[in-house]
Amino acid sequence: MGYVLSRDSFDQVLHNLSADYRIFAPALKNGEGRFKDTDVVRYDFVNSLDEMELDIRSDYSFKDAVIPLSETMFFFTEDQIRESSLDQRPVIVFMRSCDIHGVRRLDQMFLGNGENDDYYYERRREKVKLALIGCGTPCANSFCVSMGSNKTDEYAFSIDVADGQVFCDVKDESLRKAFSESDGKEEKVVPQFVEKSEKEVSRPEEIPVSIYNDSMWDEYSARCINCGRCTLVCPTCTCFTIQDLFYTDNGKVGERRRVCASCMIDGYTDVAGGLKLRKTNGERMRFKVLHKVSDFRKRFGYDMCVGCGRCDTVCPEYISMSNCINKLDRRVKELEVEQNGR
């Protein structure tokens, strides 16, 4: 069962929820974009509907709620270790369907990828409830329909704003009181889901070994500049590195941090002895693309990429993930023809 509310009534719902939850949602930041006098939509804590940006897909994903760019794991002295503290208040995070599918990928990587769950992810994730932002029109550069991430029912409640009214489908019974105490009208609500995304992709079912050394990756050695923006805005990238920060010269007092890292940035694959596992940008692009649409699927049965299109939008060299996936698919078919023709 859902609710139809006025904007003021929904603000009352947010006020009711804020007694127990922090509200994390996309927000428009005027003049804070990548270039002078440009805007950016990124996640922030909000208190009202007017502070949320629900019409434009956020430039950056929701991941700060569960994987901060930099997180202190623990503090240490010469003879003592103390775990870092964490805000114990739970969080409601507003996100689109593709990002909710992104959360599933993060859960898979950190909580379902081996014998041991990731403690630092788990302690944040267990405090997060997901609120669905209805998506009636395709986002720029998106290909979520092709990736099957345009629809979901994994949400605590949904929100669609139309004609000055707010439509919410409430599935989490623990949150229903906050809605029932408003003056909203109770009725059935169905969230909006996009039916046709801006772009379409075709993914190969099987990847031949020969694709790893194929010349199709060479163009990215010339075009990619190692900025890593594509992976930093991606809702499913999980790479990180560990850094120790020392407060004293003797190196016995300080903190250990987990810091976001990227397979697309130079130095990520450096290993002992001065070796580099992937030296060229084309090799890094190959690793990223195949991990998103092949390697992850082989392990877990579904693709890692959710087709949100943020990587296409943010790339300063106009490298398109959707185009790259389609090129991969065409090249695999060409190799099949070549092999069968012999």
Side-chain angles (χ1 to χ4, degrees), residues 200-313:
E200 295 182 0
V201 301
S202 179
R203 311 180 305 288
E205 291 299 323
E206 297 291 335
I207 303 290
V209 175
S210 58
I211 204 69
Y212 290 88
N213 294 316
D214 195 87
S215 60
M216 70 163 286
W217 308 109
D218 293 346
E219 70 167 287
Y220 302 107
S221 291
R223 295 177 62 191
C224 179
I225 60 173
N226 296 130
C227 68
R229 289 177 181 175
C230 57
T231 50
L232 294 177
V233 301
C234 177
T236 67
C237 280
T238 58
C239 293
F240 63 84
T241 187
I242 301 297
Q243 297 178 358
D244 286 338
L245 176 66
F246 300 105
Y247 301 155
T248 58
D249 292 338
N250 66 8
K252 296 180 179 179
V253 179
E255 63 186 72
R256 173 161 292 183
R257 293 178 179 176
R258 177 153 76 180
V259 181
C260 177
S262 169
C263 61
M264 296 302 295
I265 296 177
D266 192 29
Y268 180 75
T269 60
D270 291 358
V271 295
L275 300 176
K276 292 179 179 289
L277 297 182
R278 291 182 288 276
K279 297 179 181 180
T280 69
N281 297 340
E283 291 174 328
R284 294 165 186 151
M285 188 70 175
R286 177 199 67 201
F287 176 80
K288 182 187 75 170
V289 173
L290 294 183
H291 184 51
K292 296 293 186 182
V293 298
S294 178
D295 299 339
F296 186 91
R297 189 197 320 151
K298 288 179 180 178
R299 183 171 176 82
F300 301 115
Y302 57 97
D303 289 309
M304 192 176 199
C305 177
V306 296
C308 69
R310 288 185 177 96
C311 52
D312 284 27
T313 302

Side-chain angles (χ1 to χ4, degrees), residues 23-74:
I23 312 297
F24 202 48
L28 178 64
K29 303 295 183 179
N30 293 314
E32 298 184 20
R34 289 181 289 134
F35 306 103
K36 183 178 180 181
D37 298 328
T38 61
D39 303 332
V40 66
V41 179
R42 67 168 185 263
Y43 273 79
D44 201 355
F45 292 103
V46 300
N47 297 302
S48 69
L49 183 60
D50 287 340
E51 294 179 13
M52 299 183 187
E53 177 51 70
L54 303 178
D55 296 326
I56 305 173
R57 180 199 58 213
S58 62
D59 295 285
Y60 296 88
S61 76
F62 60 89
K63 287 196 301 186
D64 273 350
V66 286
I67 316 176
L69 287 174
S70 179
E71 176 182 24
T72 298
M73 303 168 70
F74 56 82

